[in-house]
Amino acid sequence: MSAALPADLRKLWEFMRSVAGDDAYERYLERHARTHPELPPLTPAEFFADEQERKWSGVSRCC
């Protein structure tokens, strides 16, 4: 039973990272390798800047 505990904690940790978006760059690298293997991937800094631009460039408010 104690051998299963680390695996369960690992799954919980991975789930929490996914929900929080902490694994976004890793997921980007996996997808990029599948869909665009001929192109170099963005660096972590470039990825972060692009995500910030995507997230905040279209903010619109009623007031």
Side-chain angles (χ1 to χ4, degrees):
M1 175 144 182
S2 63
L5 186 58
D8 291 342
L9 289 176
R10 167 69 61 191
K11 288 179 185 175
L12 177 61
W13 180 251
E14 290 173 0
F15 172 75
M16 291 174 61
R17 286 189 74 223
S18 176
V19 170
D22 285 348
D23 66 346
Y25 185 68
E26 289 90 355
R27 287 185 288 123
Y28 158 74
L29 290 175
E30 290 171 4
R31 183 179 178 279
H32 185 81
R34 280 193 321 270
T35 58
H36 306 289
E38 71 283 358
L39 299 174
L42 297 175
T43 65
E46 292 168 333
F47 176 78
F48 179 76
D50 281 357
E51 284 297 297
Q52 292 300 305
E53 179 66 24
R54 181 190 61 79
K55 189 182 289 185
W56 299 108
S57 67
V59 174
S60 61
R61 301 180 189 170
C62 66
C63 306

